[in-house]
Amino acid sequence: MYTAYLKHLGQARLLRVIADRNSPQGRTIRRGEAQLLNFASNDYLGLAANAGVIEGARRAMAEFGLGAGASRLLGGGCTLHGELEQRVAAFKGTAAALVFNSGYTANLSAIPALATNEGAIFSDELNHASIVDGCRLSGAERFVYRHGDLSHLAGLLQASAREPKIVVTESVFSMDGDIADIRGIRELCEAHNALLYIDDAHATGVLARGKGSLTHFNIQPDDNIVQMGTFSKAFGSMGGFVAASETIIDYLVNCARGLIYSTALPGPIVAASLAAINYVDAHPEVVETLHENISNCKRLLLSRGINVPATPTAIIPIYVETVADALRVSEYLLARGIYAPAIRPPTVRQSRIRISLSALHSDEDIERLSASLAEAIGCL
Ligand SMILES: Cc1ncc(COP(=O)(O)O)c(C=O)c1O
């Protein structure tokens, strides 16, 4: 059965293979003998190989060693974990925060815990797989609303008598780079007494000087908003977080299974995240450089007749008609030393090239990408 399935994937050109690099993550990466200009990473601010971030991890390794040895509830955490949680809470403007082992674990743990078996979850149809999986693990009733369709969401909220209600959305959608109407969703949540759960994975470090979507929309955090995020993207490290009221964080400490039943993150990783968050606060110019790169790239692509969304996010989807087209464009770029991967079903419905930009990219890099992309698309 497994062999037949793999064969089917191969025939449909949907087989996935792992391609590891032999260099740090960065503006360029080395894969085998090839040096590639990298437009595939979510390391938006170039912090994965930042000297200060690495030094933070090195010092923590000397002080706390490597493995955490137990879950947070059984002495696996060190003082750095609490320090990072306070730092995240201050950064996100909440009373408290809780660190998880990854963004995936945060969604998988926090969503079912908050929804409870009696509640109802309302989830955007394009939400990330970790949200989908968190919803699937929940005993709550689940409703999926059409992407960004607030009247659909309003109708579903209106029709449900369940309590508690929780609306879950990404703020910046990871495969399309568009921004959810957090203000509109927030108003619906208020009207229907629903908790708003925002996955800020691709907004943190990017929107509003890195603060994320609530600051972008000028919304004050309050007890009915939960901000989830990750250290693995703009912060260049590893781990997830939930920032919320003290009651919600205390509840998650008692009910989030991914926190309770998994060994805590190693101290050096936590220290790297701390160094990264401090770096973002102290270096707003790096976030500005990212935004200059975003506008520059979008302007160049548009000038070459390539349609791109106008949103100020670091994810630029280039939609194509077929799986084969996406692979052809990606392979064309790869042959010219540019890594911009094809994203295919089942990750997305419509195949595309997903470009992600970093503050590390130069104007020449972006010009090279846009010229080569235009050539590749011209060849389809
Ligand atoms: C929107 C979104 N949420 C959550 C995650 C999971 O985060 P992590 O990679 O830290 O597990 C991702 C990462 O792919 C994501 O794009």
Side-chain angles (χ1 to χ4, degrees):
M1 178 259 161
Y2 306 123
T3 310
Y5 185 63
L6 288 172
K7 193 168 163 207
H8 153 75
L9 287 179
Q11 280 163 350
R13 306 205 63 191
L14 293 175
L15 191 68
R16 296 154 190 244
V17 288
I18 291 173
D20 290 332
R21 63 192 143 72
N22 46 347
S23 72
Q25 185 62 275
R27 175 187 150 259
T28 61
I29 50 170
R30 215 170 30 252
R31 210 193 272 154
E33 293 302 306
Q35 185 79 14
L36 302 170
L37 187 51
N38 185 13
F39 287 99
S41 157
N42 301 312
D43 178 26
Y44 301 124
L45 301 176
L47 296 185
N50 176 279
V53 172
I54 291 171
E55 184 50 31
R58 206 195 309 270
R59 263 193 257 123
M61 179 98 89
E63 191 174 353
F64 293 103
L66 184 60
S71 92
R72 283 296 288 292
L73 296 182
L74 298 176
C78 60
T79 47
L80 292 170
H81 290 72
E83 209 181 309
L84 179 60
E85 285 164 350
Q86 281 180 10
R87 196 65 196 80
V88 169
F91 191 77
K92 289 291 189 181
T94 57
L98 188 61
V99 169
F100 288 84
N101 290 356
S102 68
Y104 188 87
T105 308
N107 280 336
L108 221 63
S109 310
I111 294 170
L114 292 170
T116 75
N117 286 344
E118 289 70 43
I121 307 175
F122 303 82
S123 172
D124 187 290
E125 68 175 326
L126 292 193
N127 275 341
H128 187 257
S130 56
I131 297 177
V132 174
D133 293 353
C135 295
R136 283 181 182 156
L137 268 182
S138 165
E141 200 170 351
R142 291 172 268 145
F143 300 93
V144 175
Y145 61 92
R146 287 186 293 275
H147 179 52
D149 186 340
L150 267 55
S151 14
H152 190 201
L153 172 59
L156 293 172
L157 282 165
Q158 181 69 38
S160 171
R162 288 229 175 189
E163 296 285 342
K165 293 185 176 66
I166 165 167
V167 176
V168 186
T169 183
E170 286 179 53
S171 49
V172 171
F173 284 87
S174 63
M175 289 296 145
D176 295 82
D178 57 330
I179 302 177
D181 175 5
I182 297 292
R183 180 167 294 287
I185 297 173
R186 166 81 183 124
E187 280 164 14
L188 284 179
C189 286
E190 276 176 334
H192 295 276
N193 192 28
L195 190 69
L196 171 56
Y197 183 104
I198 301 169
D199 180 331
D200 236 13
H202 297 275
T204 303
V206 176
L207 293 184
R209 301 178 316 286
K211 296 282 182 194
S213 63
L214 285 190
T215 308
H216 176 80
F217 281 98
N218 203 13
I219 297 173
Q220 288 300 319
D222 67 30
D223 289 359
N224 295 316
I225 303 179
V226 175
Q227 301 174 71
M228 171 270 167
T230 165
F231 300 107
S232 64
K233 304 191 191 301
F235 291 140
S237 175
M238 175 80 201
F241 64 82
V242 170
S245 68
E246 260 176 43
T247 307
I248 283 189
I249 296 304
D250 289 347
Y251 175 81
L252 290 177
V253 167
N254 286 275
C255 300
R257 295 169 68 84
L259 178 95
I260 301 168
Y261 299 109
S262 187
T263 299
L265 277 178
I269 295 293
V270 176
S273 301
L274 254 173
I277 202 167
N278 288 335
Y279 185 93
V280 172
D281 247 356
H283 295 277
E285 74 282 1
V286 180
V287 184
E288 278 163 29
T289 303
L290 172 66
H291 283 280
E292 281 160 22
N293 285 348
I294 293 168
S295 337
N296 186 21
C297 187
K298 293 197 169 184
R299 187 176 50 75
L300 285 175
L301 290 172
L302 282 170
S303 74
R304 290 187 159 100
I306 300 171
N307 229 349
V308 289
T311 46
T313 69
I315 300 159
I316 308 183
I318 312 289
Y319 303 107
V320 292
E321 277 184 18
T322 63
V323 169
D325 284 349
L327 289 171
R328 226 173 278 140
V329 172
S330 177
E331 283 157 12
Y332 184 98
L333 295 173
L334 205 57
R336 281 149 191 82
I338 298 172
Y339 182 40
I343 310 289
R344 299 165 283 170
T347 304
V348 290
R349 277 186 221 137
Q350 187 180 358
S351 294
R352 68 200 62 183
I353 301 294
R354 178 185 185 269
I355 295 165
S356 43
L357 291 168
S358 154
L360 297 178
H361 289 126
S362 67
D363 289 350
E364 293 72 40
D365 297 338
I366 292 170
E367 167 59 28
R368 200 174 132 201
L369 169 77
S370 86
S372 302
L373 245 179
E375 283 165 20
I377 288 171
C379 293
L380 288 179

